[in-house]
Amino acid sequence: MVVGIDKAASAADSVVSSAKKTPTAIPSDSVINLARGDPTMYQPYWRRMGDKCTVVIPGHDLMSYFSDPGNLCWFLMPELDDAIRRLHRVVGNAVVDDDRYVIVGTGSTQLFQAVLFALSSPQNPDTEPLSVVAAAPFYSSYPEETEFLRSGLYKWAGDAYSFDKDGAYVEVITSPNNPDGTIREAVANREGGKLIHDLAYYWPQYTPITSKADYDIMLFTFSKATGHAGSRIGWAIVKDKQMAAKMVKYIELSSIGVSKEAQLRAAKILEVIAVDCASSGPDKEENFFEHGHRLMSDRWEKLREVVKRNGVFSLPKYPRDFCNFKGKDTDSSPAFAWLKAKDGLNCDNLLREFKIITRGGPNFGVDSEYTRVSMLSLDEEFNLFLERLAEIKGATN
């Protein structure tokens, strides 16, 4: 494969030129890893917030295993329960009535395992493991997470579009989808199906909030909602009490609950966001979600301009829709760019030639002409990514 490079043309490109004006804290020849979804883009915003989200914990505090012994999820701190429900009500992206159970986990990864355990047990030892499917392109970690424990209760069964097995199964619906940002519904639609709705990206900075999600099992994560991936906090909203109790049992056995320090930090930050979103005034600055959407929209505009100019790649188009949270029509600005290389080229390999690491299509159950690019990195990394992408002016086998 021969790749043509036109640095003079890329230097003249207005999008890339503006990116070059930003001071670069990383070497210009360094490898950029955009395969991860590390949401460091939000760091400057939280730095500007100063001490508003600071939590001080005395040495004698939070020593017990128990947070709320009277709650079904006994390790969930009441402060976090209240903050989660309040934020969802303010944003309007999920139903959190009092008859719904909130289950906290060490990120949504632990909750995914807890749900699979709850949906597949108890099970007759003679029956086959419960099939777990998702529509391709699906989140690349689903197969590995499902198979990692080699459980006899469940197994990965691949693409939901091609699933034709009789009997009970689980379909995971990620909406907006990771990696391609589309709004998803169940596609297998066979008798005996059980559904998990992963709504990690159903927040106003990524997509219009068109309705309150009201599914049996809904997963959310602190990392994608606010950018605080290091706290490892996720939560599930569950309708059925027995299902919620089984999930609590899984987390009890696997980690004896969830860190109280992380829960308190999450509760404080979610509360600050909710209060800010609920307040109004003529001199009020943009809230976190408005800020995030503005940044994401700006990045997508720049990326689309570079892709349009170099002629090597294509990107999905998303419908504009009315956002109930913002009260107006808005565009989708997904957390990942689902980049497709033209002429059947291996997109991941092509970008690696320019020191850009992404996650290729086969990880998501599709062809290698696709790759996933994180849109959530620091400005310096994202701007350097645009520069290098603009250098790829054409390719032939």
Side-chain angles (χ1 to χ4, degrees), residues 305-340:
E305 184 63 25
V306 171
V307 167
K308 179 181 177 181
R309 287 173 179 265
N310 74 10
V312 181
F313 308 99
S314 63
L315 288 164
K317 293 182 179 179
Y318 305 101
R320 189 175 175 85
D321 214 333
F322 186 83
C323 178
N324 294 329
F325 174 75
K326 301 192 76 173
K328 62 181 181 180
D329 288 345
T330 58
D331 294 315
S332 292
S333 302
F336 299 100
W338 190 229
L339 206 60
K340 181 181 180 181

PDB file of all heavy atoms in Angstrom, residues 305-340:
ATOM      1  N   GLU A 305     -14.730  18.143   8.783  1.00  0.00           N
ATOM      2  CA  GLU A 305     -14.084  18.986   7.784  1.00  0.00           C
ATOM      3  C   GLU A 305     -12.797  18.332   7.278  1.00  0.00           C
ATOM      4  O   GLU A 305     -12.529  18.326   6.066  1.00  0.00           O
ATOM      5  CB  GLU A 305     -13.780  20.361   8.379  1.00  0.00           C
ATOM      6  CG  GLU A 305     -13.183  21.356   7.393  1.00  0.00           C
ATOM      7  CD  GLU A 305     -14.115  21.693   6.242  1.00  0.00           C
ATOM      8  OE1 GLU A 305     -15.348  21.575   6.409  1.00  0.00           O
ATOM      9  OE2 GLU A 305     -13.607  22.054   5.157  1.00  0.00           O
ATOM     10  N   VAL A 306     -12.009  17.767   8.186  1.00  0.00           N
ATOM     11  CA  VAL A 306     -10.772  17.098   7.784  1.00  0.00           C
ATOM     12  C   VAL A 306     -11.085  15.863   6.938  1.00  0.00           C
ATOM     13  O   VAL A 306     -10.459  15.626   5.900  1.00  0.00           O
ATOM     14  CB  VAL A 306      -9.940  16.709   9.020  1.00  0.00           C
ATOM     15  CG1 VAL A 306      -8.760  15.813   8.617  1.00  0.00           C
ATOM     16  CG2 VAL A 306      -9.426  17.951   9.732  1.00  0.00           C
ATOM     17  N   VAL A 307     -12.057  15.070   7.353  1.00  0.00           N
ATOM     18  CA  VAL A 307     -12.441  13.868   6.605  1.00  0.00           C
ATOM     19  C   VAL A 307     -12.952  14.237   5.213  1.00  0.00           C
ATOM     20  O   VAL A 307     -12.637  13.559   4.220  1.00  0.00           O
ATOM     21  CB  VAL A 307     -13.508  13.071   7.387  1.00  0.00           C
ATOM     22  CG1 VAL A 307     -14.149  12.001   6.513  1.00  0.00           C
ATOM     23  CG2 VAL A 307     -12.889  12.438   8.629  1.00  0.00           C
ATOM     24  N   LYS A 308     -13.700  15.307   5.130  1.00  0.00           N
ATOM     25  CA  LYS A 308     -14.214  15.758   3.839  1.00  0.00           C
ATOM     26  C   LYS A 308     -13.088  16.150   2.899  1.00  0.00           C
ATOM     27  O   LYS A 308     -13.122  15.866   1.690  1.00  0.00           O
ATOM     28  CB  LYS A 308     -15.153  16.948   4.059  1.00  0.00           C
ATOM     29  CG  LYS A 308     -15.750  17.531   2.777  1.00  0.00           C
ATOM     30  CD  LYS A 308     -16.640  18.713   3.107  1.00  0.00           C
ATOM     31  CE  LYS A 308     -17.193  19.353   1.837  1.00  0.00           C
ATOM     32  NZ  LYS A 308     -18.052  20.532   2.159  1.00  0.00           N
ATOM     33  N   ARG A 309     -12.039  16.775   3.429  1.00  0.00           N
ATOM     34  CA  ARG A 309     -10.942  17.280   2.601  1.00  0.00           C
ATOM     35  C   ARG A 309      -9.989  16.179   2.142  1.00  0.00           C
ATOM     36  O   ARG A 309      -9.484  16.220   1.033  1.00  0.00           O
ATOM     37  CB  ARG A 309     -10.152  18.360   3.358  1.00  0.00           C
ATOM     38  CG  ARG A 309     -10.896  19.680   3.481  1.00  0.00           C
ATOM     39  CD  ARG A 309     -10.134  20.635   4.392  1.00  0.00           C
ATOM     40  NE  ARG A 309     -10.814  21.916   4.503  1.00  0.00           N
ATOM     41  CZ  ARG A 309     -10.532  22.982   3.762  1.00  0.00           C
ATOM     42  NH1 ARG A 309      -9.582  22.919   2.853  1.00  0.00           N
ATOM     43  NH2 ARG A 309     -11.187  24.120   3.932  1.00  0.00           N
ATOM     44  N   ASN A 310      -9.721  15.183   3.019  1.00  0.00           N
ATOM     45  CA  ASN A 310      -8.690  14.223   2.617  1.00  0.00           C
ATOM     46  C   ASN A 310      -9.212  13.114   1.708  1.00  0.00           C
ATOM     47  O   ASN A 310      -8.431  12.463   1.017  1.00  0.00           O
ATOM     48  CB  ASN A 310      -7.944  13.656   3.822  1.00  0.00           C
ATOM     49  CG  ASN A 310      -8.749  12.649   4.626  1.00  0.00           C
ATOM     50  OD1 ASN A 310      -9.814  12.201   4.239  1.00  0.00           O
ATOM     51  ND2 ASN A 310      -8.208  12.278   5.784  1.00  0.00           N
ATOM     52  N   GLY A 311     -10.524  12.863   1.711  1.00  0.00           N
ATOM     53  CA  GLY A 311     -11.103  11.943   0.746  1.00  0.00           C
ATOM     54  C   GLY A 311     -10.796  10.476   0.952  1.00  0.00           C
ATOM     55  O   GLY A 311     -11.085   9.650   0.083  1.00  0.00           O
ATOM     56  N   VAL A 312     -10.218  10.114   2.096  1.00  0.00           N
ATOM     57  CA  VAL A 312      -9.840   8.719   2.341  1.00  0.00           C
ATOM     58  C   VAL A 312     -10.865   8.012   3.221  1.00  0.00           C
ATOM     59  O   VAL A 312     -11.043   6.805   3.127  1.00  0.00           O
ATOM     60  CB  VAL A 312      -8.445   8.648   3.004  1.00  0.00           C
ATOM     61  CG1 VAL A 312      -8.022   7.200   3.256  1.00  0.00           C
ATOM     62  CG2 VAL A 312      -7.416   9.351   2.136  1.00  0.00           C
ATOM     63  N   PHE A 313     -11.564   8.770   4.069  1.00  0.00           N
ATOM     64  CA  PHE A 313     -12.448   8.182   5.062  1.00  0.00           C
ATOM     65  C   PHE A 313     -13.881   8.695   4.905  1.00  0.00           C
ATOM     66  O   PHE A 313     -14.145   9.651   4.174  1.00  0.00           O
ATOM     67  CB  PHE A 313     -11.951   8.516   6.474  1.00  0.00           C
ATOM     68  CG  PHE A 313     -10.510   8.188   6.714  1.00  0.00           C
ATOM     69  CD1 PHE A 313      -9.522   9.168   6.643  1.00  0.00           C
ATOM     70  CD2 PHE A 313     -10.131   6.890   7.029  1.00  0.00           C
ATOM     71  CE1 PHE A 313      -8.196   8.866   6.864  1.00  0.00           C
ATOM     72  CE2 PHE A 313      -8.797   6.576   7.256  1.00  0.00           C
ATOM     73  CZ  PHE A 313      -7.833   7.561   7.170  1.00  0.00           C
ATOM     74  N   SER A 314     -14.774   8.055   5.651  1.00  0.00           N
ATOM     75  CA  SER A 314     -16.143   8.537   5.768  1.00  0.00           C
ATOM     76  C   SER A 314     -16.607   8.370   7.206  1.00  0.00           C
ATOM     77  O   SER A 314     -16.033   7.575   7.967  1.00  0.00           O
ATOM     78  CB  SER A 314     -17.080   7.784   4.818  1.00  0.00           C
ATOM     79  OG  SER A 314     -17.137   6.409   5.159  1.00  0.00           O
ATOM     80  N   LEU A 315     -17.634   9.121   7.581  1.00  0.00           N
ATOM     81  CA  LEU A 315     -18.193   9.083   8.927  1.00  0.00           C
ATOM     82  C   LEU A 315     -19.712   8.912   8.849  1.00  0.00           C
ATOM     83  O   LEU A 315     -20.338   9.339   7.873  1.00  0.00           O
ATOM     84  CB  LEU A 315     -17.877  10.382   9.679  1.00  0.00           C
ATOM     85  CG  LEU A 315     -16.435  10.600  10.125  1.00  0.00           C
ATOM     86  CD1 LEU A 315     -16.213  12.065  10.495  1.00  0.00           C
ATOM     87  CD2 LEU A 315     -16.105   9.695  11.316  1.00  0.00           C
ATOM     88  N   PRO A 316     -20.328   8.333   9.870  1.00  0.00           N
ATOM     89  CA  PRO A 316     -21.799   8.217   9.875  1.00  0.00           C
ATOM     90  C   PRO A 316     -22.455   9.590   9.965  1.00  0.00           C
ATOM     91  O   PRO A 316     -21.865  10.551  10.473  1.00  0.00           O
ATOM     92  CB  PRO A 316     -22.084   7.395  11.137  1.00  0.00           C
ATOM     93  CG  PRO A 316     -20.786   6.789  11.540  1.00  0.00           C
ATOM     94  CD  PRO A 316     -19.725   7.717  11.059  1.00  0.00           C
ATOM     95  N   LYS A 317     -23.680   9.672   9.475  1.00  0.00           N
ATOM     96  CA  LYS A 317     -24.479  10.873   9.642  1.00  0.00           C
ATOM     97  C   LYS A 317     -25.592  10.566  10.629  1.00  0.00           C
ATOM     98  O   LYS A 317     -26.196   9.502  10.585  1.00  0.00           O
ATOM     99  CB  LYS A 317     -25.063  11.311   8.298  1.00  0.00           C
ATOM    100  CG  LYS A 317     -24.011  11.777   7.302  1.00  0.00           C
ATOM    101  CD  LYS A 317     -24.652  12.250   6.004  1.00  0.00           C
ATOM    102  CE  LYS A 317     -23.590  12.739   5.029  1.00  0.00           C
ATOM    103  NZ  LYS A 317     -24.192  13.193   3.738  1.00  0.00           N
ATOM    104  N   TYR A 318     -25.858  11.510  11.517  1.00  0.00           N
ATOM    105  CA  TYR A 318     -26.842  11.300  12.567  1.00  0.00           C
ATOM    106  C   TYR A 318     -28.009  12.272  12.401  1.00  0.00           C
ATOM    107  O   TYR A 318     -27.804  13.440  12.073  1.00  0.00           O
ATOM    108  CB  TYR A 318     -26.209  11.494  13.944  1.00  0.00           C
ATOM    109  CG  TYR A 318     -24.992  10.636  14.168  1.00  0.00           C
ATOM    110  CD1 TYR A 318     -23.706  11.167  14.055  1.00  0.00           C
ATOM    111  CD2 TYR A 318     -25.126   9.289  14.472  1.00  0.00           C
ATOM    112  CE1 TYR A 318     -22.585  10.374  14.254  1.00  0.00           C
ATOM    113  CE2 TYR A 318     -24.009   8.490  14.670  1.00  0.00           C
ATOM    114  CZ  TYR A 318     -22.741   9.041  14.552  1.00  0.00           C
ATOM    115  OH  TYR A 318     -21.640   8.257  14.739  1.00  0.00           O
ATOM    116  N   PRO A 319     -29.238  11.808  12.644  1.00  0.00           N
ATOM    117  CA  PRO A 319     -30.393  12.702  12.515  1.00  0.00           C
ATOM    118  C   PRO A 319     -30.422  13.746  13.630  1.00  0.00           C
ATOM    119  O   PRO A 319     -30.057  13.460  14.773  1.00  0.00           O
ATOM    120  CB  PRO A 319     -31.589  11.754  12.617  1.00  0.00           C
ATOM    121  CG  PRO A 319     -31.071  10.574  13.406  1.00  0.00           C
ATOM    122  CD  PRO A 319     -29.622  10.437  13.012  1.00  0.00           C
ATOM    123  N   ARG A 320     -30.839  14.938  13.286  1.00  0.00           N
ATOM    124  CA  ARG A 320     -31.032  16.003  14.276  1.00  0.00           C
ATOM    125  C   ARG A 320     -32.373  15.774  14.960  1.00  0.00           C
ATOM    126  O   ARG A 320     -33.359  15.423  14.312  1.00  0.00           O
ATOM    127  CB  ARG A 320     -31.005  17.357  13.561  1.00  0.00           C
ATOM    128  CG  ARG A 320     -30.981  18.577  14.467  1.00  0.00           C
ATOM    129  CD  ARG A 320     -30.837  19.835  13.619  1.00  0.00           C
ATOM    130  NE  ARG A 320     -30.922  21.049  14.402  1.00  0.00           N
ATOM    131  CZ  ARG A 320     -29.910  21.610  15.033  1.00  0.00           C
ATOM    132  NH1 ARG A 320     -28.720  21.060  14.950  1.00  0.00           N
ATOM    133  NH2 ARG A 320     -30.064  22.725  15.739  1.00  0.00           N
ATOM    134  N   ASP A 321     -32.421  15.966  16.286  1.00  0.00           N
ATOM    135  CA  ASP A 321     -33.645  15.672  17.012  1.00  0.00           C
ATOM    136  C   ASP A 321     -33.844  16.686  18.134  1.00  0.00           C
ATOM    137  O   ASP A 321     -32.910  17.389  18.529  1.00  0.00           O
ATOM    138  CB  ASP A 321     -33.590  14.258  17.590  1.00  0.00           C
ATOM    139  CG  ASP A 321     -34.959  13.583  17.622  1.00  0.00           C
ATOM    140  OD1 ASP A 321     -35.976  14.319  17.697  1.00  0.00           O
ATOM    141  OD2 ASP A 321     -35.010  12.350  17.557  1.00  0.00           O
ATOM    142  N   PHE A 322     -35.084  16.722  18.645  1.00  0.00           N
ATOM    143  CA  PHE A 322     -35.407  17.650  19.734  1.00  0.00           C
ATOM    144  C   PHE A 322     -34.923  17.078  21.055  1.00  0.00           C
ATOM    145  O   PHE A 322     -35.218  15.932  21.405  1.00  0.00           O
ATOM    146  CB  PHE A 322     -36.907  17.907  19.803  1.00  0.00           C
ATOM    147  CG  PHE A 322     -37.297  18.954  20.815  1.00  0.00           C
ATOM    148  CD1 PHE A 322     -37.239  20.305  20.485  1.00  0.00           C
ATOM    149  CD2 PHE A 322     -37.707  18.594  22.085  1.00  0.00           C
ATOM    150  CE1 PHE A 322     -37.589  21.287  21.412  1.00  0.00           C
ATOM    151  CE2 PHE A 322     -38.057  19.556  23.025  1.00  0.00           C
ATOM    152  CZ  PHE A 322     -37.991  20.905  22.683  1.00  0.00           C
ATOM    153  N   CYS A 323     -34.151  17.862  21.800  1.00  0.00           N
ATOM    154  CA  CYS A 323     -33.637  17.449  23.098  1.00  0.00           C
ATOM    155  C   CYS A 323     -34.499  18.065  24.203  1.00  0.00           C
ATOM    156  O   CYS A 323     -34.576  19.295  24.323  1.00  0.00           O
ATOM    157  CB  CYS A 323     -32.184  17.883  23.260  1.00  0.00           C
ATOM    158  SG  CYS A 323     -31.467  17.460  24.873  1.00  0.00           S
ATOM    159  N   ASN A 324     -35.148  17.220  24.984  1.00  0.00           N
ATOM    160  CA  ASN A 324     -36.009  17.720  26.061  1.00  0.00           C
ATOM    161  C   ASN A 324     -35.226  18.465  27.124  1.00  0.00           C
ATOM    162  O   ASN A 324     -35.732  19.402  27.746  1.00  0.00           O
ATOM    163  CB  ASN A 324     -36.763  16.550  26.700  1.00  0.00           C
ATOM    164  CG  ASN A 324     -37.749  15.898  25.748  1.00  0.00           C
ATOM    165  OD1 ASN A 324     -38.309  16.556  24.880  1.00  0.00           O
ATOM    166  ND2 ASN A 324     -37.949  14.597  25.896  1.00  0.00           N
ATOM    167  N   PHE A 325     -33.985  18.073  27.339  1.00  0.00           N
ATOM    168  CA  PHE A 325     -33.168  18.746  28.351  1.00  0.00           C
ATOM    169  C   PHE A 325     -32.804  20.159  27.922  1.00  0.00           C
ATOM    170  O   PHE A 325     -32.907  21.101  28.706  1.00  0.00           O
ATOM    171  CB  PHE A 325     -31.900  17.933  28.613  1.00  0.00           C
ATOM    172  CG  PHE A 325     -30.924  18.618  29.526  1.00  0.00           C
ATOM    173  CD1 PHE A 325     -31.151  18.684  30.890  1.00  0.00           C
ATOM    174  CD2 PHE A 325     -29.768  19.203  29.024  1.00  0.00           C
ATOM    175  CE1 PHE A 325     -30.246  19.326  31.738  1.00  0.00           C
ATOM    176  CE2 PHE A 325     -28.859  19.837  29.860  1.00  0.00           C
ATOM    177  CZ  PHE A 325     -29.103  19.899  31.218  1.00  0.00           C
ATOM    178  N   LYS A 326     -32.391  20.321  26.664  1.00  0.00           N
ATOM    179  CA  LYS A 326     -31.978  21.635  26.176  1.00  0.00           C
ATOM    180  C   LYS A 326     -33.152  22.456  25.649  1.00  0.00           C
ATOM    181  O   LYS A 326     -33.035  23.670  25.475  1.00  0.00           O
ATOM    182  CB  LYS A 326     -30.925  21.477  25.086  1.00  0.00           C
ATOM    183  CG  LYS A 326     -29.671  20.738  25.550  1.00  0.00           C
ATOM    184  CD  LYS A 326     -28.534  20.843  24.557  1.00  0.00           C
ATOM    185  CE  LYS A 326     -27.896  22.219  24.618  1.00  0.00           C
ATOM    186  NZ  LYS A 326     -26.680  22.328  23.796  1.00  0.00           N
ATOM    187  N   GLY A 327     -34.272  21.809  25.357  1.00  0.00           N
ATOM    188  CA  GLY A 327     -35.452  22.515  24.883  1.00  0.00           C
ATOM    189  C   GLY A 327     -35.349  22.992  23.451  1.00  0.00           C
ATOM    190  O   GLY A 327     -36.008  23.959  23.073  1.00  0.00           O
ATOM    191  N   LYS A 328     -34.550  22.311  22.635  1.00  0.00           N
ATOM    192  CA  LYS A 328     -34.398  22.697  21.233  1.00  0.00           C
ATOM    193  C   LYS A 328     -33.802  21.532  20.446  1.00  0.00           C
ATOM    194  O   LYS A 328     -33.314  20.553  21.019  1.00  0.00           O
ATOM    195  CB  LYS A 328     -33.497  23.923  21.104  1.00  0.00           C
ATOM    196  CG  LYS A 328     -32.072  23.713  21.607  1.00  0.00           C
ATOM    197  CD  LYS A 328     -31.252  24.993  21.463  1.00  0.00           C
ATOM    198  CE  LYS A 328     -29.820  24.790  21.951  1.00  0.00           C
ATOM    199  NZ  LYS A 328     -29.004  26.033  21.816  1.00  0.00           N
ATOM    200  N   ASP A 329     -33.851  21.660  19.124  1.00  0.00           N
ATOM    201  CA  ASP A 329     -33.245  20.641  18.269  1.00  0.00           C
ATOM    202  C   ASP A 329     -31.726  20.662  18.426  1.00  0.00           C
ATOM    203  O   ASP A 329     -31.110  21.737  18.435  1.00  0.00           O
ATOM    204  CB  ASP A 329     -33.597  20.890  16.800  1.00  0.00           C
ATOM    205  CG  ASP A 329     -35.048  20.559  16.502  1.00  0.00           C
ATOM    206  OD1 ASP A 329     -35.691  19.893  17.328  1.00  0.00           O
ATOM    207  OD2 ASP A 329     -35.548  20.966  15.436  1.00  0.00           O
ATOM    208  N   THR A 330     -31.129  19.483  18.549  1.00  0.00           N
ATOM    209  CA  THR A 330     -29.674  19.396  18.682  1.00  0.00           C
ATOM    210  C   THR A 330     -29.147  18.237  17.837  1.00  0.00           C
ATOM    211  O   THR A 330     -29.882  17.320  17.475  1.00  0.00           O
ATOM    212  CB  THR A 330     -29.244  19.166  20.145  1.00  0.00           C
ATOM    213  OG1 THR A 330     -29.856  17.966  20.628  1.00  0.00           O
ATOM    214  CG2 THR A 330     -29.650  20.333  21.019  1.00  0.00           C
ATOM    215  N   ASP A 331     -27.858  18.297  17.546  1.00  0.00           N
ATOM    216  CA  ASP A 331     -27.187  17.235  16.810  1.00  0.00           C
ATOM    217  C   ASP A 331     -26.576  16.225  17.776  1.00  0.00           C
ATOM    218  O   ASP A 331     -26.281  16.545  18.922  1.00  0.00           O
ATOM    219  CB  ASP A 331     -26.063  17.811  15.934  1.00  0.00           C
ATOM    220  CG  ASP A 331     -26.595  18.693  14.820  1.00  0.00           C
ATOM    221  OD1 ASP A 331     -27.567  18.280  14.168  1.00  0.00           O
ATOM    222  OD2 ASP A 331     -26.038  19.791  14.626  1.00  0.00           O
ATOM    223  N   SER A 332     -26.389  15.012  17.294  1.00  0.00           N
ATOM    224  CA  SER A 332     -25.668  14.007  18.067  1.00  0.00           C
ATOM    225  C   SER A 332     -24.168  14.246  17.933  1.00  0.00           C
ATOM    226  O   SER A 332     -23.683  14.573  16.843  1.00  0.00           O
ATOM    227  CB  SER A 332     -26.005  12.600  17.576  1.00  0.00           C
ATOM    228  OG  SER A 332     -27.353  12.275  17.862  1.00  0.00           O
ATOM    229  N   SER A 333     -23.456  14.091  19.033  1.00  0.00           N
ATOM    230  CA  SER A 333     -21.994  14.227  19.040  1.00  0.00           C
ATOM    231  C   SER A 333     -21.427  13.061  19.833  1.00  0.00           C
ATOM    232  O   SER A 333     -21.019  13.208  20.983  1.00  0.00           O
ATOM    233  CB  SER A 333     -21.577  15.557  19.666  1.00  0.00           C
ATOM    234  OG  SER A 333     -22.141  16.651  18.980  1.00  0.00           O
ATOM    235  N   PRO A 334     -21.401  11.868  19.233  1.00  0.00           N
ATOM    236  CA  PRO A 334     -21.007  10.660  19.970  1.00  0.00           C
ATOM    237  C   PRO A 334     -19.611  10.730  20.567  1.00  0.00           C
ATOM    238  O   PRO A 334     -18.748  11.490  20.101  1.00  0.00           O
ATOM    239  CB  PRO A 334     -21.097   9.562  18.901  1.00  0.00           C
ATOM    240  CG  PRO A 334     -22.058  10.088  17.888  1.00  0.00           C
ATOM    241  CD  PRO A 334     -21.820  11.567  17.856  1.00  0.00           C
ATOM    242  N   ALA A 335     -19.397   9.909  21.575  1.00  0.00           N
ATOM    243  CA  ALA A 335     -18.107   9.874  22.255  1.00  0.00           C
ATOM    244  C   ALA A 335     -17.024   9.231  21.403  1.00  0.00           C
ATOM    245  O   ALA A 335     -15.836   9.415  21.674  1.00  0.00           O
ATOM    246  CB  ALA A 335     -18.244   9.113  23.576  1.00  0.00           C
ATOM    247  N   PHE A 336     -17.420   8.493  20.360  1.00  0.00           N
ATOM    248  CA  PHE A 336     -16.453   7.850  19.473  1.00  0.00           C
ATOM    249  C   PHE A 336     -16.790   8.154  18.028  1.00  0.00           C
ATOM    250  O   PHE A 336     -17.964   8.273  17.665  1.00  0.00           O
ATOM    251  CB  PHE A 336     -16.447   6.329  19.675  1.00  0.00           C
ATOM    252  CG  PHE A 336     -16.067   5.899  21.054  1.00  0.00           C
ATOM    253  CD1 PHE A 336     -17.034   5.536  21.982  1.00  0.00           C
ATOM    254  CD2 PHE A 336     -14.736   5.876  21.446  1.00  0.00           C
ATOM    255  CE1 PHE A 336     -16.698   5.145  23.257  1.00  0.00           C
ATOM    256  CE2 PHE A 336     -14.378   5.490  22.722  1.00  0.00           C
ATOM    257  CZ  PHE A 336     -15.355   5.128  23.634  1.00  0.00           C
ATOM    258  N   ALA A 337     -15.751   8.285  17.211  1.00  0.00           N
ATOM    259  CA  ALA A 337     -15.931   8.436  15.765  1.00  0.00           C
ATOM    260  C   ALA A 337     -15.777   7.059  15.130  1.00  0.00           C
ATOM    261  O   ALA A 337     -14.758   6.388  15.332  1.00  0.00           O
ATOM    262  CB  ALA A 337     -14.897   9.404  15.198  1.00  0.00           C
ATOM    263  N   TRP A 338     -16.794   6.636  14.379  1.00  0.00           N
ATOM    264  CA  TRP A 338     -16.778   5.339  13.708  1.00  0.00           C
ATOM    265  C   TRP A 338     -16.287   5.583  12.288  1.00  0.00           C
ATOM    266  O   TRP A 338     -17.030   5.825  11.365  1.00  0.00           O
ATOM    267  CB  TRP A 338     -18.177   4.739  13.732  1.00  0.00           C
ATOM    268  CG  TRP A 338     -18.328   3.323  13.304  1.00  0.00           C
ATOM    269  CD1 TRP A 338     -19.238   2.844  12.416  1.00  0.00           C
ATOM    270  CD2 TRP A 338     -17.597   2.174  13.766  1.00  0.00           C
ATOM    271  NE1 TRP A 338     -19.134   1.491  12.292  1.00  0.00           N
ATOM    272  CE2 TRP A 338     -18.129   1.050  13.108  1.00  0.00           C
ATOM    273  CE3 TRP A 338     -16.535   2.007  14.666  1.00  0.00           C
ATOM    274  CZ2 TRP A 338     -17.633  -0.245  13.324  1.00  0.00           C
ATOM    275  CZ3 TRP A 338     -16.055   0.723  14.878  1.00  0.00           C
ATOM    276  CH2 TRP A 338     -16.586  -0.382  14.218  1.00  0.00           C
ATOM    277  N   LEU A 339     -14.970   5.527  12.150  1.00  0.00           N
ATOM    278  CA  LEU A 339     -14.295   5.912  10.918  1.00  0.00           C
ATOM    279  C   LEU A 339     -14.236   4.727   9.946  1.00  0.00           C
ATOM    280  O   LEU A 339     -13.885   3.610  10.345  1.00  0.00           O
ATOM    281  CB  LEU A 339     -12.887   6.399  11.247  1.00  0.00           C
ATOM    282  CG  LEU A 339     -12.188   7.383  10.299  1.00  0.00           C
ATOM    283  CD1 LEU A 339     -12.977   8.667  10.172  1.00  0.00           C
ATOM    284  CD2 LEU A 339     -10.779   7.675  10.813  1.00  0.00           C
ATOM    285  N   LYS A 340     -14.553   4.993   8.687  1.00  0.00           N
ATOM    286  CA  LYS A 340     -14.502   3.954   7.657  1.00  0.00           C
ATOM    287  C   LYS A 340     -13.533   4.371   6.563  1.00  0.00           C
ATOM    288  O   LYS A 340     -13.608   5.479   6.032  1.00  0.00           O
ATOM    289  CB  LYS A 340     -15.887   3.725   7.043  1.00  0.00           C
ATOM    290  CG  LYS A 340     -15.911   2.641   5.973  1.00  0.00           C
ATOM    291  CD  LYS A 340     -17.306   2.483   5.384  1.00  0.00           C
ATOM    292  CE  LYS A 340     -17.333   1.391   4.320  1.00  0.00           C
ATOM    293  NZ  LYS A 340     -18.676   1.242   3.710  1.00  0.00           N
TER     294      LYS A 340
END
